[in-house]
Amino acid sequence: MNYSVGQVAGFAGVTVRTLHHYDDIGLLVPSERSHAGHRRYSDTDLDRLQQILFYRQLGFPLDEVAALLDDPDADPRAHLRRQHELLTARIEKLRKMAAAVEHAMEARKMGLNLTPEEKFEVFGGKDPEQYAEEVEERWGGTDEYAESQRRTARYTKEDWKRVQAEAADWGERYGALMAAQEPPSGEAAMALAEEHRQHICTWFYECSYEIHRCLGEMYVSDERFEAFYDAMRPGLAEHLRDAIAANAARHTS
């Protein structure tokens, strides 16, 4: 059996454009061509596409996916075991975040005041006010942390609801941007990266482009931040990191 590019796109839930791109970069080259030169995919090609999409859902960049799949020492069972381990770890992270969200919802329904620790469990145990603390360690920026403490000390429950609502709305729009396969260096992604920076400036402290770039790196290197952003859409933390860097570059060059 072999299949057309349109059939494979329908099976896998990807676009024809994506399959063309995978072919162009050598990640998924169809085994056959029709007499007219059209791509024809075999069952073996479909198996490879399944592996590619597994790793992509886990946030792996395309070059790393290619390196993993083309490793001569790896066999299909090794790939499945690795994916199972990664998925199990991600499920556990998401389970903990879901439990924290449920706890927050229940507390609000009952009119209870959350402690600072409980309030920020949704961030994977990371209080956003600690952004400035970590920046202070790297950049010596004690003013940012002091400003964040000063502002948030005045916030009411309604203020925190607005903070979370704005973040949730932004996350939905960023997820849609990724679903449309917008590149991190594109205008749409950089605009949302800038909105992300402005959100921090509005609610926490004055976030310079240099500080924002540092935060972007932290979203990938710190698993707690990575879990928070990747819960919105797999791979979002890395995509955002690159969009932040591109946005900073165009404003500071």
Side-chain angles (χ1 to χ4, degrees):
M1 291 290 291
N2 59 59
Y3 310 91
S4 70
V5 66
Q7 287 176 307
V8 174
F11 296 154
V14 298
T15 64
V16 170
R17 177 183 172 188
T18 293
L19 294 174
H20 286 178
H21 179 58
Y22 288 173
D23 186 6
D24 291 340
I25 64 175
L27 180 61
L28 180 65
V29 178
S31 299
E32 302 175 32
R33 294 272 179 169
S34 70
H35 292 301
H38 298 145
R39 297 169 174 85
R40 304 295 299 182
Y41 293 83
S42 68
D43 287 329
T44 300
D45 296 332
L46 296 186
D47 289 340
R48 182 177 174 92
L49 177 58
Q50 182 188 50
Q51 297 296 320
I52 292 169
L53 297 180
F54 266 132
Y55 282 118
R56 290 298 285 157
Q57 283 293 321
L58 290 166
F60 282 70
L62 291 176
D63 57 345
E64 289 187 22
V65 174
L68 286 165
L69 295 184
D70 295 332
D71 181 356
D73 296 326
D75 61 45
R77 288 174 298 178
H79 283 299
L80 290 173
R81 283 195 297 270
R82 175 177 175 81
Q83 288 160 1
H84 184 268
E85 291 169 0
L86 292 169
L87 285 169
T88 300
R90 175 153 293 174
I91 288 169
E92 179 60 19
K93 288 181 181 179
L94 294 177
R95 186 194 64 76
K96 290 180 179 178
M97 291 183 69
V101 170
E102 290 170 4
H103 178 55
M105 290 169 59
E106 186 66 21
R108 290 197 182 280
K109 182 172 70 174
M110 296 176 66
L112 299 176
N113 288 321
L114 298 180
T115 67
E117 292 78 13
E118 291 171 331
K119 186 183 297 180
F120 293 104
E121 282 180 357
V122 69
F123 293 97
K126 195 70 171 182
D127 183 339
E129 295 177 30
Q130 292 178 347
Y131 288 171
E133 279 190 306
E134 299 206 16
V135 171
E136 179 183 346
E137 293 177 5
R138 298 185 184 189
W139 305 93
T142 57
D143 290 344
E144 289 79 13
Y145 182 69
E147 177 66 10
S148 176
Q149 292 289 84
R150 184 185 65 80
R151 292 190 197 181
T152 57
R154 304 194 308 265
Y155 289 170
T156 64
K157 284 187 177 182
E158 291 305 314
D159 290 326
W160 286 115
K161 285 181 181 179
R162 286 182 58 196
V163 172
Q164 293 182 341
E166 287 180 12
D169 174 70
W170 175 91
E172 289 181 5
R173 287 182 287 121
Y174 205 103
L177 176 148
M178 290 181 65
Q181 298 185 12
E182 291 284 347
S185 58
E187 189 64 36
M190 289 193 291
L192 282 181
E194 176 63 18
E195 185 177 327
H196 181 275
R197 189 185 73 87
Q198 291 294 341
H199 178 81
I200 297 172
C201 291
T202 299
W203 292 102
F204 299 104
Y205 57 88
E206 189 59 32
C207 181
S208 68
Y209 290 104
E210 186 177 24
I211 289 175
H212 202 212
R213 193 196 301 268
C214 174
L215 292 177
E217 292 296 335
M218 193 163 56
Y219 296 157
V220 175
S221 63
D222 188 315
E223 65 178 14
R224 294 163 297 180
F225 284 106
E226 184 179 34
F228 170 65
Y229 284 106
D230 282 2
M232 299 177 185
R233 183 180 175 88
L236 194 150
E238 182 178 344
H239 195 286
L240 175 59
R241 185 271 311 273
D242 294 344
I244 287 173
N247 183 56
R250 71 170 176 170
H251 282 93
T252 58
S253 58

